[in-house]
Amino acid sequence: MSSLYERLGVEKSATTDEIRRAYKDLAKQKHPDRGGNPEEFKQIQEAHEILTDEQRRRMYDLTGSTNEQGGPASGMAAGGIPFEFMSGMGPFGMPGVAFDIGSMFGGMFGSRGPSGPGRRPKHPKGPNKHHDVGLTLSDFYNGRDIKLKFNQARKCDGCKGTGAATGGTESCGSCGGRGVRTHTHMIGPGMMAQQTGPCDVCNGEGQRVLRPCKSCHGKKYVEREKILDIQIRPGMRDGQTLVFAGECSDSAEYEQPGDVILTLKRADAPTSELDQWEWRGNDLWIRKQITFAESVIGFKRTLEGHPSGKTLVVGWRKGALVHGATLQAPGWGMPQQGGGTGTCFVQIWVQTPQPREWSVEERDQLRELLGGEVQTMDAEDVVPLQPSSLDTRN
Ligand SMILES: [Zn+2]
Ligand SMILES: [Zn+2]
């Protein structure tokens, strides 16, 4: 396609007047009313229109485009950046697109966004602190009062947590007292991003301390010794938690301090199977060893270390006991929450007699007492039994 200048038959350096004159002459010759080609006449008209418009002529000279907006029809500029992004002016007069990263991600200020000038928004509640409280079975049985001592920071009463003496502040010059500042970053060619965040000079407070508070020396918080009274009551359980609401330290990040949560833990847990008190629900369990003869004729035992502190003597005389049999002493278990006491279970551990050779007289006596047939082990039709690994007795 011929250039706009060629269409009108003028030089590229032609003045606007020269272009107008050339157009007038051509129009007379090429007008369709006078038998000219309508398409050719349209092209002459277009050339005249563009070249007599100072701005469009300059754009045409630069880009060769006859497009109204001055860019190639595809909308792509030479650098490959989508043309739309280049339109408009970014911050500081630079072409670009302004993003507010804070609003894009929405999370920089928590869910609420900046909450007014001068205040760095806080999370509502601080994290809880967990501690285990080690207790003996006897503590759980009888109850116990414990004092837990720790250092607790509280907002200074003298300055209400500002850290400044009365009238001892001035507006932060860096953020104009707003507590927030907007930073601009280049995030790509011609693309600017705006990020709004807490002012780093005043830490988002909007105020600068000139004269610090005398009570807290400008620290905003005062540490003091805090004593928690922990009352272990009979009926409380191993693993139970006690919540002391808001007893963590105050801090700048949270509107409310977290809770101190104590978990009651039995510290004297059983280490071996025999003679150890096991706590199950409301009940106490203990395994007691008796001799084989006692399993037959009955026994009496003192159960040491009952958590009540009382001496518990138990006895049985109502028939033979097999290994693993369970007897009970109601009322000797653990205290229950709503009153009452669980059961003490005694599991019998029968001690197997040492192997020995019984004399004929002893065998006869035992058989007479306990029953049994006359044994003639020498007979040839007897299959002698062997020890089995399935024997769980010990
Ligand atoms: Zn500031
Ligand atoms: Zn203070």
Side-chain angles (χ1 to χ4, degrees), residues 289-309:
Q289 196 171 54
I290 58 175
T291 65
F292 180 76
E294 284 173 324
S295 78
V296 176
I297 60 177
F299 69 92
K300 187 173 90 173
R301 281 290 184 283
T302 301
L303 304 184
E304 305 286 346
H306 188 270
S308 65

Side-chain angles (χ1 to χ4, degrees), residues 157-175:
D157 285 335
C159 61
K160 300 275 178 286
T162 63
T166 311
T169 59
E170 72 169 14
S171 215
C172 171
S174 191
C175 61

